[in-house]
Short mmCIF file of all heavy atoms in Angstrom, two decimals:
data_model
loop_
_atom_site.label_atom_id
_atom_site.label_comp_id
_atom_site.label_asym_id
_atom_site.label_seq_id
_atom_site.Cartn_x
_atom_site.Cartn_y
_atom_site.Cartn_z
N THR A 54 54.01 144.16 82.48
CA THR A 54 55.38 143.70 82.45
C THR A 54 56.32 144.75 81.85
O THR A 54 57.45 144.98 82.33
CB THR A 54 55.51 142.39 81.67
OG1 THR A 54 54.69 141.37 82.33
CG2 THR A 54 56.96 141.91 81.63
N ALA A 55 55.85 145.40 80.82
CA ALA A 55 56.63 146.44 80.15
C ALA A 55 56.73 147.71 80.95
O ALA A 55 57.72 148.45 80.84
CB ALA A 55 56.08 146.72 78.75
N ARG A 56 55.73 148.00 81.77
CA ARG A 56 55.69 149.23 82.57
C ARG A 56 55.59 148.83 84.06
O ARG A 56 54.52 148.86 84.64
CB ARG A 56 54.53 150.10 82.13
CG ARG A 56 54.59 150.53 80.65
CD ARG A 56 53.27 151.05 80.19
NE ARG A 56 53.29 151.42 78.78
CZ ARG A 56 53.13 150.53 77.77
NH1 ARG A 56 52.91 149.26 78.05
NH2 ARG A 56 53.16 150.97 76.55
N ARG A 57 56.72 148.51 84.62
CA ARG A 57 56.73 147.87 85.93
C ARG A 57 56.31 148.81 87.06
O ARG A 57 56.00 148.34 88.18
CB ARG A 57 58.13 147.28 86.20
CG ARG A 57 58.45 146.16 85.26
CD ARG A 57 59.67 145.38 85.69
NE ARG A 57 59.91 144.24 84.81
CZ ARG A 57 59.36 143.04 84.96
NH1 ARG A 57 58.48 142.85 85.94
NH2 ARG A 57 59.60 142.05 84.12
N ARG A 58 56.30 150.09 86.84
CA ARG A 58 55.87 151.01 87.87
C ARG A 58 54.36 151.22 87.90
O ARG A 58 53.80 151.61 88.93
CB ARG A 58 56.55 152.36 87.72
CG ARG A 58 58.06 152.30 87.97
CD ARG A 58 58.68 153.68 87.88
NE ARG A 58 60.11 153.68 88.13
CZ ARG A 58 60.87 154.76 88.15
NH1 ARG A 58 60.32 155.98 87.90
NH2 ARG A 58 62.15 154.67 88.38
N ALA A 59 53.70 151.02 86.78
CA ALA A 59 52.28 151.22 86.67
C ALA A 59 51.52 150.16 87.45
O ALA A 59 51.82 148.95 87.33
CB ALA A 59 51.80 151.24 85.25
N GLY A 60 50.51 150.55 88.22
CA GLY A 60 49.76 149.62 89.03
C GLY A 60 48.43 149.22 88.46
O GLY A 60 47.74 148.36 89.04
N LEU A 61 48.03 149.82 87.36
CA LEU A 61 46.70 149.60 86.81
C LEU A 61 46.74 149.65 85.28
O LEU A 61 47.44 150.48 84.70
CB LEU A 61 45.75 150.69 87.33
CG LEU A 61 44.30 150.72 86.90
CD1 LEU A 61 43.43 151.34 88.01
CD2 LEU A 61 44.10 151.49 85.60
N VAL A 62 45.99 148.72 84.65
CA VAL A 62 45.84 148.75 83.19
C VAL A 62 44.35 148.62 82.88
O VAL A 62 43.62 147.86 83.53
CB VAL A 62 46.67 147.63 82.51
CG1 VAL A 62 46.26 146.26 83.03
CG2 VAL A 62 46.53 147.68 81.00
N TYR A 63 43.89 149.38 81.91
CA TYR A 63 42.51 149.25 81.43
C TYR A 63 42.43 149.58 79.96
O TYR A 63 43.46 149.99 79.36
CB TYR A 63 41.59 150.21 82.23
CG TYR A 63 41.65 151.66 81.84
CD1 TYR A 63 40.71 152.21 80.99
CD2 TYR A 63 42.71 152.49 82.31
CE1 TYR A 63 40.77 153.57 80.61
CE2 TYR A 63 42.74 153.81 81.95
CZ TYR A 63 41.79 154.34 81.10
OH TYR A 63 41.86 155.67 80.74
N GLY A 64 41.28 149.37 79.39
CA GLY A 64 41.14 149.61 77.95
C GLY A 64 39.76 150.05 77.56
O GLY A 64 39.03 150.66 78.33
N VAL A 65 39.36 149.67 76.36
CA VAL A 65 38.15 150.14 75.73
C VAL A 65 36.95 149.32 76.26
O VAL A 65 37.00 148.09 76.30
CB VAL A 65 38.21 150.07 74.20
CG1 VAL A 65 36.90 150.50 73.54
CG2 VAL A 65 39.39 150.91 73.70
N ILE A 66 35.88 150.03 76.62
CA ILE A 66 34.67 149.38 77.15
C ILE A 66 33.61 149.37 76.08
O ILE A 66 33.26 150.42 75.49
CB ILE A 66 34.16 150.15 78.39
CG1 ILE A 66 35.26 150.12 79.48
CG2 ILE A 66 32.87 149.55 78.90
CD1 ILE A 66 35.03 151.12 80.60
N GLU A 67 33.04 148.21 75.82
CA GLU A 67 32.00 148.03 74.83
C GLU A 67 30.71 147.60 75.52
O GLU A 67 30.63 146.45 76.00
CB GLU A 67 32.43 147.03 73.76
CG GLU A 67 33.63 147.48 72.96
CD GLU A 67 33.97 146.50 71.86
OE1 GLU A 67 33.51 145.35 71.90
OE2 GLU A 67 34.71 146.91 70.92
N PRO A 68 29.71 148.48 75.61
CA PRO A 68 28.46 148.14 76.34
C PRO A 68 27.56 147.24 75.48
O PRO A 68 27.58 147.26 74.24
CB PRO A 68 27.81 149.50 76.57
CG PRO A 68 28.31 150.35 75.43
CD PRO A 68 29.72 149.86 75.12
N PHE A 69 26.73 146.43 76.17
CA PHE A 69 25.72 145.64 75.53
C PHE A 69 24.51 145.53 76.43
O PHE A 69 24.63 145.76 77.65
CB PHE A 69 26.23 144.25 75.12
CG PHE A 69 26.48 143.33 76.30
CD1 PHE A 69 25.52 142.42 76.69
CD2 PHE A 69 27.66 143.38 77.01
CE1 PHE A 69 25.72 141.55 77.74
CE2 PHE A 69 27.90 142.52 78.09
CZ PHE A 69 26.91 141.62 78.45
N GLY A 70 23.36 145.19 75.89
CA GLY A 70 22.17 145.06 76.70
C GLY A 70 20.91 144.95 75.83
O GLY A 70 21.01 144.74 74.62
#
Side-chain angles (χ1 to χ4, degrees):
T54 299
R56 300 165 181 83
R57 295 192 176 276
R58 293 185 179 180
L61 179 152
V62 59
Y63 76 100
V65 178
I66 299 165
E67 297 184 341
F69 70 96

